[in-house]
Amino acid sequence: MAANERARRPRTLLEQRIWQRNQSLAEFTEEAEEFARRSGESGTLSERNLKRLVAGHRTDGARIGRPRPATARLLERIFDTGIDELLTPLESTTSEVTGEHELNAAFATSRRVTPDVVALFHSQLEAVRQLDRRLGAITAYDEVAVKVDQVSRLLSYSLAAGTRKNLAALLAELSALAGWQALDRGQISTAWDHYERAKQAASQSGDPALETHTEAERAFVLLDLGQASEAAEMLATAEDHARGTTGHTLRAWLAAAHGEALAACELRSASLRAFDRAESLLPPRPAPDDGPYVVLDDVHLARWRGNALARIGEPEAVNVLTDALHELDPTFTRAEAGLRVDLATALTANREHDEAHTHAAKARTLATEIGSARQLRRLARLPAVQI
């Protein structure tokens, strides 16, 4: 966000909500237009119009009128808040009275957060994870961003210690998912911000396993930036922290992540040892409550090992990845796209260009459908199999 936009206090709730998303007006306008296209909303929003709305008044002091109904509906869907409330000035002659009323209302709302409400949010999180798995961030990212905003607001005004911990854990999981989605969309800086929020929320949850997991997830941003040694160091530290404090599934996940970073460092032996460590730690049937949410079983670990083998140019990568592809649950669309990019990489190294071309073409189709800029970028680095 531009420094001049942060040099003053937000003037309306709309502007405050945009700031909470860590976006400039231009960035939010672009995202709003994309949301409108995907959701079938007819409302439009220019940056010039948005500047007028967030200001709350004209230069002559008169109040800005309501936006067109279609634009109002678009903003209401994005923020899950009525347009009148969004356009409410945060500073006015009655700011003290209004502020006191709004603060009491916020406290009252947060007091209604019971374990059942938290469970409902978790069920919504699980549903959006399923959408993200099948359809990608192009469909699910906006919904996750809305949930992050909602839970963050509830957490800010929650006074009960137990409720705060539950909401913080929920916010950590939501922000981590948003970070992964942003990374897949090619928004690397945004991904880092989401992961930082996840880490901060995890520290409030009182769950050391969740905190270790969110700290480790930032390593994938470093890997995409080409800072493999820093990522490997971060994951080695996370592995150390996890010993004796987390479940075996998370420890297996951390070992595999460390193996990927070591492969990116071209440390073949250390990488393979890390994957052997992950395999030995992974329970036959991971328990649902065995730590933070991770997707890891024999098949996903095999495709992860195959990715590392392809990175370091091991010929056996093709067989490992092919077996994983045959066993992969077809609902994991993003995982399949990545796996096929790995196969194209391994096959290219083996000079099997026709097969590499076939997998690259399928990967490109899947990545385009789900909006995976990350996988499309990886494909672009394979000149021998350009589609």
Side-chain angles (χ1 to χ4, degrees), residues 262-278:
L262 291 167
C265 295
E266 300 182 354
L267 297 174
R268 176 187 180 280
S269 297
S271 174
L272 296 181
R273 284 197 301 271
F275 279 102
D276 289 342
R277 192 162 61 250

Side-chain angles (χ1 to χ4, degrees), residues 167 328 337 345 370:
L167 287 173
L328 184 67
T345 301
I370 64 174

Side-chain angles (χ1 to χ4, degrees), residues 11-26:
R11 294 158 292 185
T12 57
L13 180 62
L14 174 59
E15 187 172 30
Q16 183 182 69
R17 291 290 181 85
I18 293 171
W19 285 14
Q20 289 171 347
R21 294 163 72 102
N22 200 33
Q23 291 179 314
S24 67
L25 298 185

